[in-house]
Amino acid sequence: MSVKLTTNEIRYISLFETITSATVKDCIIDDEHNKVTFLVKKGDMGLAIGKRGSTIGKMQKSVDRSVEIIEHSDDPGEFIRNLLSAATINSIEFSTDAKGNKIATLDVDSKTKRAAIGKNGQNIQRARQFAKRQFEISDIIIK
């Protein structure tokens, strides 16, 4: 599946790759929360963060936004765990509904469920966007 990026997303990716030398697979700009989330190639997290967070700090100053970095994985289960790393995910089940849509159902520890959902649902919403764009997973359900 190919991801269609906006002009702004392409600009941010170019700047991020120039500053960090990490390879970006996808990017989501959240204007409402003044945040940019980058999906970097597996193994590039260290490059993206830099020593003591120096590289990510440069990026945040350059774009004047909060910057979040998530590591990509070719395994959908590991990918979802990376997306919601603040939560303790006990298990992930993949299924298909009657319309043929892929759905991921997560069993999340009750103590970290709030972290998975995020303030006003922003974490789970971002996770759904990336899962849809990268693996054609239509929905992520937390139980």
Side-chain angles (χ1 to χ4, degrees), residues 1 7 27 29 39-40 44 48 56 63 65 67 78 85-86 89 91 97 100 106 124 128 133 137 139 141:
M1 176 178 186
T7 307
C27 168
I29 300 170
L39 185 63
V40 298
D44 278 4
I56 195 171
V63 297
R65 290 176 179 256
V67 174
E78 184 182 343
S85 61
I89 300 171
S91 67
D97 69 8
L106 282 53
I124 190 65
R128 286 178 177 140
R133 288 163 69 148
I137 296 172
D139 198 6
I141 299 168

Side-chain angles (χ1 to χ4, degrees), residues 8-57:
N8 272 349
E9 288 169 337
I10 292 168
R11 282 190 196 124
Y12 278 121
I13 288 170
S14 177
L15 178 63
F16 185 85
E17 289 182 338
T18 300
I19 289 173
T20 67
S21 300
T23 303
V24 176
K25 294 205 148 268
D26 199 356
C27 168
I28 292 177
I29 300 170
D30 183 353
D31 290 321
E32 186 179 333
H33 299 100
N34 200 34
K35 182 181 201 174
V36 182
T37 305
F38 294 97
L39 185 63
V40 298
K41 185 179 90 176
K42 188 173 181 107
D44 278 4
M45 280 296 278
L47 279 173
I49 296 169
K51 281 187 181 174
R52 296 188 187 126
S54 62
T55 311
I56 195 171

